[in-house]
Amino acid sequence: MFFSSDNAAPAAPEVMAALAAANEGYTSSYGADDIMDRVRARMRDIFEAPEAAVYLVSTGTTANALALSILARPWQAVFCHRHAHAEEDECGAPEFYTGGAKLITLGGADAKIDATELRTRGAETGQLGVHNIQRGALTITNVNELGSVYTVAEIKELCRIARNLGMGTHLDGARFANALVSLNCSPAEMTWKSGVDVVSFGGTKNGLMGVEAVVIFDPEKAWEFELRRKRGGHLFSKHRYLSAQMDAYLKDGLWLRLARQANAMGARLEAELGHVDGFRMVHPRHANMLFCGFPQAGHKRAQDAGAMYYPWPNKAPSGGSEVFLTCRLVTSWCTTTEEVDRFVAAVRG
Amino acid sequence: MFFSSDNAAPAAPEVMAALAAANEGYTSSYGADDIMDRVRARMRDIFEAPEAAVYLVSTGTTANALALSILARPWQAVFCHRHAHAEEDECGAPEFYTGGAKLITLGGADAKIDATELRTRGAETGQLGVHNIQRGALTITNVNELGSVYTVAEIKELCRIARNLGMGTHLDGARFANALVSLNCSPAEMTWKSGVDVVSFGGTKNGLMGVEAVVIFDPEKAWEFELRRKRGGHLFSKHRYLSAQMDAYLKDGLWLRLARQANAMGARLEAELGHVDGFRMVHPRHANMLFCGFPQAGHKRAQDAGAMYYPWPNKAPSGGSEVFLTCRLVTSWCTTTEEVDRFVAAVRG
Amino acid sequence: MFFSSDNAAPAAPEVMAALAAANEGYTSSYGADDIMDRVRARMRDIFEAPEAAVYLVSTGTTANALALSILARPWQAVFCHRHAHAEEDECGAPEFYTGGAKLITLGGADAKIDATELRTRGAETGQLGVHNIQRGALTITNVNELGSVYTVAEIKELCRIARNLGMGTHLDGARFANALVSLNCSPAEMTWKSGVDVVSFGGTKNGLMGVEAVVIFDPEKAWEFELRRKRGGHLFSKHRYLSAQMDAYLKDGLWLRLARQANAMGARLEAELGHVDGFRMVHPRHANMLFCGFPQAGHKRAQDAGAMYYPWPNKAPSGGSEVFLTCRLVTSWCTTTEEVDRFVAAVRG
Amino acid sequence: MFFSSDNAAPAAPEVMAALAAANEGYTSSYGADDIMDRVRARMRDIFEAPEAAVYLVSTGTTANALALSILARPWQAVFCHRHAHAEEDECGAPEFYTGGAKLITLGGADAKIDATELRTRGAETGQLGVHNIQRGALTITNVNELGSVYTVAEIKELCRIARNLGMGTHLDGARFANALVSLNCSPAEMTWKSGVDVVSFGGTKNGLMGVEAVVIFDPEKAWEFELRRKRGGHLFSKHRYLSAQMDAYLKDGLWLRLARQANAMGARLEAELGHVDGFRMVHPRHANMLFCGFPQAGHKRAQDAGAMYYPWPNKAPSGGSEVFLTCRLVTSWCTTTEEVDRFVAAVRG
């Protein structure tokens, strides 16, 4: 009964098998391995973007920070939701990689950026010429930090506003697959067809050991990205082990299968907990994350039964003596029906 | 017959087994996994340094750049050999992580820093007060970039000079195990007992997929390191997969066994090539890297037979039409006697 | 009738005379001039701080950014009001000089930081360990950006909160003299006795050509400041011309006389405009800045009569065709009674 | 008898008069003053470059660092002579402003970059793709740090090499006027007609209080420069005082008259010292700096007579007890024949 985070789940068996298969003999370093050629081809195919530049890094923070560094200069602003991972959970990595760009935080229900606020704050920014931080980039997250999924229409609107303000858009897709499965659209629709310029395409939270892709639709930015990646220490000599994971992930739709399982378990949690007295959703669930509340006694019973998850919004790990009512529950590709049902039973008592 | 680099070799079977074993169930993220506790204990034991802070990152460039960032401030100098990896092969990662420190490059035969030059350049640096870059840190590499190994006495002398100049010392041990086996001393003797403050303890070139440890003997620097690591995007959520590799590496002396094999194959190469007419060593071989020359016809035959290695010093990959006489040959943990002998036979014709 | 900004006024005659007097023969460079010795002594005397380090720079942005750079590390937060000059008008200079620290903006009426919000946001910051930006420093402005002056009690409270959160405090005193005259307290009371660690002590807006002092009460920070100043290009070779200006400014209380005149003219403006129908203050006036409103016809007449000032809050320069009701009026050391009265007469019609 | 540096001389009377004249009434801030319009026009005229962007800053370090920041990206190299001011005397300002670019130092007699070495090192740089620092910019100094002046032909050659390597060229003209007078060519010939892209056009060492221009021949770079200048704290609110100095400097050829006097005094020093037994030039003198040697007794007598200058190369100030033979002597716009003759008489005894 583990609902703390999808980043604590193991790697999928197909991924382990691919790693073992890749571990034969000598191979070219630094991304010149044959498997990476396959990854590039698969990714361009999936995104219907034959010109896209595709790179692998090993953490989501890196993917985001490097992506932003090619979209915003040091004297520019990056607009994000105030609950964005880039703002709250990366210890300033975007500032570090951009050379000191300013994150301007916006509000909006359920961690979705309010379009009007983006328009207003964007218009104000840089208005006084050289004295001000200039407009740089927009970054949105899908699935976002409060478990909501931007619709394609919402993405389009935000990207259009950004474009009108002279800015490019980054999509933090640490849970890209979960969002896609939830939206039931194509990767292209969720990204470049809606105006997204650079994507962090997560794998780690959905069955990989630690691999994220960065997909850049404008290949003009590719060389700068490569230099920044190397300079950041994120170019792997034994790159084949990243390639192999991503290759297995993309092969035969594994990434979608894993995400569907995670989302289905999220839906089941929501449905089953719905029968608990006093249960309520704090934010709508669109994928594999629930923000919800139920009576304290239920939390007590769940924890006594060994359930692991975080109270929310204070984020301290559960299991202590503190009293709380609302929490975050995250399912993953390896969450089982049995696990969900056992948890709900414990909560119910 | 692959002698291009030890970073193109696969991972050792023990490492693959450890990864598979670690891939069970949920576990704590970000280095709070149980396996990492074991790694810390093993490392402190190996270094006879019970207070040492131990961290894992995934590339050598990262290990070096982060290590230097806690030793040198932005307005300080990092003294290194002009052939240091930090100077020549990291695309400015040390400058990036330190916030703009200046690498001052020194000469010295066989890529070993000349002690007198360090003393002189060190004394000059910062002499004019605020107008000058100040003294910051020394970094040395063992095994170094031209295949030589600093003796313990040499390390001691350089560290003493650095200390007298008010500087700490970093040791780039991308091939730490190969150097240690070559010196036949203890890890403590090669490092803190000789005055080294921070070590990049490599694993990737010696049988891991992509894991390096950073060992910091003064725990006061640890928290800053952790923040810089996170900010650089180098803190892994699924940290267990780094832990498992390093744990297997340190267990039962695997790291030393692998390095002994690599070094032994280097020695065999040197001995057997010694019988080739016109063969000569360009730099002394101390571990698993040879810089040597032999007649062009030998290169032609080796390449025709499928041998892979780099000409040196121009570094362009072999196999093209260019004419060269001297080259770099690197053996690894998985180089076999048969491979060496087949190569020498090809060279001989 | 010029009320656009105090930074558009000329230099005081005493300052010009001091520059002429300093322009004799050769003198030591880079702050080693005799006049600077006098400046240091005067400043320490004024602040009752015999150990304080005193430096001169030429812009307020520089004073602020350098001051913050010695209080906050790259991975830390600087707490400021959302209308702080450091946040809104320095094009990211604090981010540049600190190496990427994050400015966390707070609310509070009349551009004074709300103490409760500081306490709450401060407590939240860094709560999640390494994943978060850490606490760094607090910066407050006196006179602040909306013309209000923090009382000594208010400064004490904010500094105490900052100290309890482990942070130092910077005071942006671009209009230090105006604030001091308004508070009628001692420089020490307004700063270190209330918990301020570093002060930007402005001169430019109050009769100098372009000189600001930075006063650092803890001399341990002085050397780092000197290196950062040089590295930023802010160490003047012909330093005597900065020294001479600041020396004249501090001599015989010139700085206070100039500020008293500016504040008195601000008070007169407020009093006289008070008789205008429809006049209202938007923020309280404590020194030499008014944020106020009056009917459009009055603006029209004032502009027709040649008055210069900015509408507020939109900040576009006046004189255009746009319609506005509220404005910012700034008086300076050289504003005259006649100028004020003529302006009020024009507004009245 | 002051020969320590031209940056210790006072400002020219014409400059003081211009400052006084500018000190009337209110004027627009931040470079929008009328005097700056005149400066721009004069500078474009002088350089025969009607499109050039012209900016004023207050120190030479700033001019250089900002100029380099628009020519080189963080992962690129700036090629300079190993005695360049940017390398030796700016405490890392170029690294700071470029965001961590690497200064690659070159040799060459008399502090003139050796063209062959530039070609070789330039060709090597970036050869290994992403692993290496990339080529960025060349910076040369005229008059250089050892008193030599590059000829127009030499500038052309170095700029051509840089251009062929894909790099722009910056000219550090802290002593631009002294070089120009020495070469007797036009400003355009010494700069853009020879391939220079950006010029630091010094005024401080030649009669101003602290003003340097940056002249950018490609106006596409102008906006980035403006943002970087502001962000560095180098945009002056009371800009008119910089404008007034530079305006007076350029008016009626004052800048050339001042430089001619300085150079003439340098020539006189060389000629008269030439009659001293044991006198020798260490580097050729082309403008207003001599690097020369004469017997210790002569130094003793000169210092006893109150002469001020630095021994060279160790740079410690004279007047102490140390023994030296070679020294640096710098003349300025206000050095007189009498001063020179008195010095030579003292040396002779």
Side-chain angles (χ1 to χ4, degrees):
Chain A
M1 293 191 295
F2 188 94
F3 303 104
S4 297
S5 179
D6 35 8
N7 71 19
E14 293 87 341
V15 171
M16 298 305 289
L19 276 175
N23 196 45
E24 286 296 320
Y26 304 102
T27 193
S28 294
S29 307
Y30 301 115
D33 52 293
D34 298 341
I35 314 177
M36 187 60 199
D37 291 339
R38 231 157 45 217
V39 169
R40 258 179 232 110
R42 287 193 201 278
M43 200 70 91
R44 288 167 176 163
D45 203 45
I46 283 170
F47 278 98
E48 305 164 48
E51 305 289 312
V54 179
Y55 300 106
L56 302 183
V57 295
S58 56
T59 72
T61 292
T62 304
N64 290 343
L66 280 172
L68 291 173
S69 76
I70 61 168
L71 291 175
R73 305 295 303 271
W75 48 85
Q76 292 181 338
V78 172
F79 291 86
C80 63
H81 195 278
R82 75 168 52 100
H83 291 310
H85 196 268
E87 166 70 10
E88 293 207 319
D89 294 287
E90 301 185 353
C91 196
E95 286 90 343
F96 180 46
Y97 276 90
T98 57
K102 185 188 284 290
L103 272 65
I104 293 186
T105 56
L106 305 172
D110 304 323
K112 287 186 183 179
I113 290 175
D114 181 274
T116 304
E117 195 174 343
L118 172 62
R119 209 179 278 110
T120 309
R121 293 296 303 277
E124 284 167 13
T125 300
Q127 220 182 14
L128 294 186
V130 82
H131 300 282
N132 284 184
I133 282 285
Q134 307 293 303
R135 293 169 202 139
L138 168 68
T139 179
I140 58 178
T141 312
N142 226 15
V143 181
N144 77 23
E145 293 77 6
L146 295 180
S148 284
V149 173
Y150 284 101
T151 64
V152 169
E154 288 168 337
I155 296 172
K156 270 190 181 143
E157 187 186 10
L158 292 175
C159 290
R160 193 183 315 113
I161 295 169
R163 190 59 41 99
N164 288 342
L165 291 162
M167 305 193 297
T169 298
H170 164 250
L171 187 142
D172 174 357
R175 294 184 178 93
F176 190 95
N178 304 89
L180 195 76
V181 160
S182 171
L183 288 176
N184 200 20
C185 69
S186 76
E189 284 167 333
M190 192 168 119
T191 59
W192 66 267
K193 287 188 176 172
S194 296
V196 170
D197 298 285
V198 183
V199 176
S200 298
F201 179 92
T204 309
K205 290 178 190 292
N206 192 34
L208 302 189
M209 284 185 176
V211 185
E212 316 276 304
V214 177
V215 182
I216 307 172
F217 297 112
D218 174 2
E220 294 250 322
K221 301 273 194 185
W223 180 232
E224 177 179 338
F225 184 92
E226 290 197 39
L227 289 160
R228 288 184 180 275
R229 178 177 60 162
K230 171 66 191 179
R231 186 170 170 83
H234 294 289
L235 178 58
F236 281 65
S237 57
K238 293 184 168 177
H239 190 281
R240 62 168 124 171
Y241 300 106
L242 277 70
S243 308
Q245 292 183 59
M246 188 53 79
D247 189 48
Y249 186 66
L250 300 181
K251 193 179 165 195
D252 300 333
L254 174 63
W255 62 300
L256 297 170
R257 282 204 310 280
L258 297 174
R260 273 190 207 108
Q261 172 66 10
N263 286 13
M265 291 302 101
R268 186 179 186 95
L269 255 185
E270 183 180 4
E272 296 298 319
L273 283 171
H275 302 127
V276 171
D277 272 355
F279 174 81
R280 64 195 162 87
M281 292 299 283
V282 175
H283 298 288
R285 183 204 60 79
H286 294 147
N288 65 323
M289 298 167 82
L290 280 80
F291 294 80
C292 59
F294 48 84
Q296 239 175 271
H299 287 290
K300 177 83 175 60
R301 279 190 303 270
Q303 286 166 45
D304 288 349
M308 300 290 286
Y309 58 97
Y310 288 100
W312 200 268
N314 54 325
K315 292 183 176 182
S318 69
S321 59
E322 87 280 24
V323 164
F324 61 88
L325 293 169
T326 56
C327 65
R328 185 185 81 162
L329 302 170
V330 190
T331 57
S332 78
W333 72 271
C334 72
T335 305
T336 59
T337 306
E338 180 274 332
E339 218 177 346
V340 168
D341 294 351
R342 197 149 46 93
F343 175 74
V344 176
V347 171
R348 279 180 152 167
Chain B
M1 293 191 295
F2 189 93
F3 303 103
S4 297
S5 178
D6 34 8
N7 71 20
E14 293 88 341
V15 171
M16 296 306 288
L19 277 174
N23 197 46
E24 286 295 320
Y26 303 102
T27 191
S28 295
S29 306
Y30 300 117
D33 53 291
D34 297 341
I35 314 177
M36 186 61 197
D37 290 340
R38 228 152 55 213
V39 169
R40 260 179 230 109
R42 286 192 201 279
M43 200 69 92
R44 288 168 176 163
D45 202 47
I46 283 170
F47 277 98
E48 305 165 48
E51 305 287 313
V54 179
Y55 299 106
L56 302 183
V57 295
S58 56
T59 73
T61 292
T62 304
N64 290 343
L66 280 173
L68 291 173
S69 75
I70 59 168
L71 291 175
R73 304 295 303 269
W75 48 84
Q76 292 182 335
V78 171
F79 292 85
C80 64
H81 195 279
R82 76 167 52 98
H83 291 310
H85 195 269
E87 166 70 11
E88 292 206 320
D89 294 287
E90 301 185 352
C91 197
E95 284 89 344
F96 180 46
Y97 277 90
T98 58
K102 186 188 281 289
L103 271 66
I104 294 186
T105 56
L106 306 171
D110 304 323
K112 287 186 184 180
I113 290 175
D114 182 274
T116 304
E117 196 173 341
L118 172 61
R119 209 179 277 111
T120 309
R121 293 295 303 276
E124 283 167 13
T125 299
Q127 220 182 13
L128 294 186
V130 81
H131 300 283
N132 284 182
I133 282 285
Q134 308 292 303
R135 293 168 201 139
L138 167 68
T139 177
I140 57 178
T141 312
N142 226 16
V143 180
N144 77 23
E145 292 76 6
L146 294 180
S148 284
V149 173
Y150 285 100
T151 64
V152 169
E154 288 168 338
I155 295 171
K156 271 189 180 141
E157 186 186 10
L158 292 175
C159 290
R160 195 183 313 114
I161 295 169
R163 191 59 41 99
N164 288 341
L165 290 162
M167 303 193 298
T169 298
H170 164 249
L171 187 142
D172 174 357
R175 294 183 179 94
F176 190 95
N178 304 89
L180 195 77
V181 160
S182 172
L183 288 177
N184 200 21
C185 69
S186 74
E189 283 168 335
M190 194 169 118
T191 58
W192 65 267
K193 287 188 176 171
S194 295
V196 170
D197 297 286
V198 184
V199 177
S200 298
F201 179 92
T204 309
K205 290 177 189 291
N206 192 33
L208 301 190
M209 285 184 176
V211 185
E212 316 276 305
V214 177
V215 183
I216 307 172
F217 297 114
D218 174 2
E220 294 249 323
K221 302 272 195 185
W223 180 234
E224 178 179 339
F225 184 92
E226 289 196 40
L227 289 159
R228 288 184 180 276
R229 178 177 59 162
K230 170 67 191 179
R231 186 168 169 83
H234 293 289
L235 177 58
F236 281 65
S237 57
K238 293 184 168 176
H239 189 280
R240 63 168 125 174
Y241 300 106
L242 277 70
S243 307
Q245 292 183 60
M246 187 54 77
D247 188 49
Y249 187 64
L250 299 182
K251 192 180 165 194
D252 299 334
L254 174 64
W255 62 299
L256 297 171
R257 282 204 310 280
L258 297 173
R260 273 191 206 105
Q261 172 66 10
N263 285 13
M265 291 303 99
R268 186 178 186 97
L269 256 185
E270 182 179 5
E272 294 300 318
L273 284 171
H275 302 128
V276 172
D277 272 355
F279 174 80
R280 65 196 161 84
M281 292 297 285
V282 176
H283 298 287
R285 183 204 60 79
H286 293 148
N288 66 324
M289 297 166 84
L290 279 81
F291 294 81
C292 59
F294 47 84
Q296 240 175 270
H299 287 289
K300 177 83 173 62
R301 279 191 301 269
Q303 287 165 44
D304 288 350
M308 300 291 286
Y309 58 97
Y310 287 101
W312 200 267
N314 53 326
K315 294 182 176 181
S318 69
S321 59
E322 88 279 27
V323 164
F324 62 89
L325 292 169
T326 56
C327 66
R328 185 185 83 160
L329 302 170
V330 189
T331 56
S332 76
W333 71 272
C334 73
T335 306
T336 59
T337 307
E338 180 274 331
E339 218 177 347
V340 167
D341 293 352
R342 196 147 49 89
F343 176 74
V344 176
V347 171
R348 278 181 151 168
Chain C
M1 294 191 295
F2 188 94
F3 303 103
S4 296
S5 178
D6 35 8
N7 72 19
E14 293 87 341
V15 172
M16 297 305 289
L19 276 174
N23 197 45
E24 286 295 320
Y26 303 103
T27 192
S28 294
S29 307
Y30 300 117
D33 53 292
D34 297 342
I35 314 177
M36 187 59 198
D37 289 340
R38 231 157 45 217
V39 169
R40 259 179 231 107
R42 286 193 203 279
M43 199 69 92
R44 287 167 176 163
D45 203 45
I46 283 169
F47 277 98
E48 306 166 47
E51 306 287 313
V54 179
Y55 299 106
L56 302 183
V57 296
S58 56
T59 72
T61 293
T62 305
N64 290 344
L66 280 173
L68 291 174
S69 76
I70 60 168
L71 290 175
R73 304 295 303 271
W75 48 84
Q76 291 181 338
V78 171
F79 291 86
C80 63
H81 195 279
R82 75 167 53 100
H83 291 309
H85 196 267
E87 167 70 11
E88 292 206 321
D89 294 287
E90 301 186 352
C91 196
E95 285 90 343
F96 180 46
Y97 277 89
T98 57
K102 185 188 284 288
L103 272 64
I104 294 186
T105 56
L106 306 173
D110 304 322
K112 287 185 183 180
I113 290 174
D114 182 273
T116 304
E117 195 174 341
L118 172 61
R119 207 179 278 111
T120 309
R121 294 295 303 276
E124 284 166 14
T125 300
Q127 220 181 15
L128 294 187
V130 81
H131 300 281
N132 284 183
I133 283 285
Q134 307 293 303
R135 293 168 201 139
L138 168 68
T139 179
I140 58 178
T141 312
N142 226 14
V143 182
N144 77 23
E145 293 75 8
L146 293 180
S148 285
V149 173
Y150 285 101
T151 64
V152 169
E154 288 168 338
I155 296 171
K156 270 189 181 143
E157 187 186 10
L158 293 175
C159 290
R160 194 183 314 115
I161 295 169
R163 189 60 40 98
N164 288 342
L165 291 163
M167 304 194 297
T169 298
H170 164 249
L171 187 142
D172 174 356
R175 295 184 178 93
F176 190 95
N178 304 89
L180 196 76
V181 160
S182 171
L183 288 176
N184 199 22
C185 69
S186 74
E189 283 167 335
M190 192 168 119
T191 59
W192 66 267
K193 286 188 176 173
S194 295
V196 170
D197 297 286
V198 183
V199 176
S200 298
F201 179 92
T204 308
K205 289 178 190 293
N206 192 33
L208 301 189
M209 284 184 177
V211 185
E212 316 275 306
V214 177
V215 182
I216 307 171
F217 297 113
D218 174 2
E220 294 250 322
K221 301 273 195 184
W223 180 234
E224 178 179 338
F225 185 90
E226 290 196 38
L227 290 159
R228 287 184 181 274
R229 179 177 59 162
K230 169 69 190 178
R231 186 169 171 83
H234 293 289
L235 178 58
F236 280 65
S237 58
K238 294 184 168 178
H239 190 280
R240 61 167 125 172
Y241 300 107
L242 278 71
S243 306
Q245 292 184 60
M246 189 51 79
D247 190 48
Y249 187 64
L250 299 181
K251 193 180 166 194
D252 300 333
L254 175 64
W255 64 299
L256 296 171
R257 282 203 310 280
L258 297 174
R260 273 190 207 107
Q261 173 65 12
N263 285 13
M265 291 303 99
R268 186 177 187 96
L269 256 186
E270 183 180 4
E272 295 299 319
L273 284 172
H275 303 128
V276 172
D277 272 355
F279 174 81
R280 65 194 162 86
M281 292 298 285
V282 176
H283 298 288
R285 181 205 60 79
H286 293 146
N288 65 323
M289 298 167 83
L290 280 80
F291 294 81
C292 58
F294 48 86
Q296 240 175 271
H299 287 289
K300 177 83 173 63
R301 280 190 301 268
Q303 287 166 44
D304 288 348
M308 300 288 288
Y309 59 97
Y310 287 100
W312 200 267
N314 54 325
K315 294 182 175 184
S318 69
S321 59
E322 87 279 26
V323 164
F324 62 89
L325 292 169
T326 55
C327 65
R328 186 185 80 162
L329 302 171
V330 190
T331 56
S332 78
W333 70 272
C334 72
T335 305
T336 59
T337 306
E338 179 274 333
E339 218 177 346
V340 168
D341 293 351
R342 196 147 48 90
F343 175 74
V344 176
V347 170
R348 278 181 153 168
Chain D
M1 294 190 295
F2 189 94
F3 303 104
S4 296
S5 178
D6 35 8
N7 72 19
E14 293 88 342
V15 172
M16 297 306 289
L19 277 174
N23 197 44
E24 287 295 320
Y26 303 102
T27 192
S28 295
S29 306
Y30 300 116
D33 52 290
D34 297 341
I35 315 177
M36 187 60 199
D37 290 339
R38 228 152 54 214
V39 169
R40 258 179 232 109
R42 287 193 200 280
M43 199 69 91
R44 287 169 176 161
D45 203 47
I46 283 170
F47 276 98
E48 306 165 47
E51 305 288 314
V54 179
Y55 299 106
L56 302 183
V57 295
S58 56
T59 73
T61 293
T62 305
N64 291 343
L66 280 173
L68 292 173
S69 76
I70 60 168
L71 291 174
R73 305 295 303 269
W75 48 84
Q76 292 181 337
V78 172
F79 291 85
C80 64
H81 195 278
R82 74 167 54 99
H83 292 308
H85 195 269
E87 167 69 11
E88 291 207 322
D89 294 287
E90 301 185 353
C91 197
E95 285 89 343
F96 180 47
Y97 276 89
T98 58
K102 186 188 282 289
L103 273 64
I104 294 187
T105 57
L106 306 172
D110 304 321
K112 287 186 184 179
I113 290 174
D114 183 273
T116 304
E117 196 174 341
L118 172 61
R119 209 179 277 110
T120 311
R121 294 295 302 277
E124 284 167 13
T125 299
Q127 220 182 15
L128 294 186
V130 81
H131 300 283
N132 283 184
I133 282 286
Q134 308 293 303
R135 294 168 201 140
L138 168 68
T139 178
I140 58 178
T141 313
N142 225 15
V143 183
N144 77 23
E145 293 75 8
L146 295 180
S148 285
V149 173
Y150 285 101
T151 64
V152 168
E154 288 168 338
I155 295 171
K156 270 189 181 142
E157 187 186 9
L158 292 175
C159 290
R160 195 183 313 114
I161 296 169
R163 190 60 40 100
N164 288 341
L165 290 162
M167 302 194 298
T169 298
H170 164 250
L171 187 141
D172 174 358
R175 294 183 178 93
F176 190 96
N178 304 89
L180 195 77
V181 160
S182 172
L183 288 176
N184 200 20
C185 69
S186 74
E189 283 168 334
M190 193 169 119
T191 59
W192 66 267
K193 287 188 177 171
S194 295
V196 170
D197 297 286
V198 184
V199 177
S200 298
F201 179 91
T204 309
K205 290 177 190 291
N206 192 34
L208 301 189
M209 285 185 176
V211 185
E212 317 276 304
V214 177
V215 183
I216 307 172
F217 297 114
D218 174 3
E220 294 250 323
K221 300 274 194 183
W223 180 234
E224 178 179 339
F225 185 91
E226 290 197 39
L227 289 160
R228 288 183 179 275
R229 178 177 60 161
K230 170 67 191 179
R231 186 169 168 83
H234 294 289
L235 178 57
F236 281 65
S237 57
K238 294 184 168 178
H239 190 280
R240 62 167 126 172
Y241 300 106
L242 277 70
S243 307
Q245 292 183 61
M246 188 53 79
D247 189 48
Y249 187 65
L250 299 181
K251 192 179 165 195
D252 300 333
L254 174 64
W255 63 299
L256 297 170
R257 283 204 309 281
L258 297 173
R260 275 192 206 106
Q261 172 66 9
N263 285 13
M265 291 303 101
R268 186 177 186 96
L269 255 185
E270 182 179 6
E272 296 299 319
L273 284 171
H275 303 129
V276 172
D277 272 355
F279 174 81
R280 65 196 162 84
M281 292 297 285
V282 176
H283 298 288
R285 182 203 61 78
H286 293 148
N288 66 323
M289 297 167 83
L290 280 80
F291 294 81
C292 59
F294 47 84
Q296 241 176 268
H299 287 289
K300 177 80 174 65
R301 279 191 301 270
Q303 287 166 45
D304 288 349
M308 299 291 286
Y309 58 98
Y310 288 100
W312 201 266
N314 54 326
K315 294 184 176 180
S318 70
S321 59
E322 88 279 25
V323 164
F324 62 87
L325 293 168
T326 55
C327 65
R328 186 185 82 162
L329 302 171
V330 190
T331 56
S332 78
W333 71 272
C334 73
T335 306
T336 60
T337 307
E338 179 274 333
E339 217 178 348
V340 168
D341 293 351
R342 197 147 48 90
F343 175 73
V344 177
V347 171
R348 278 181 151 168

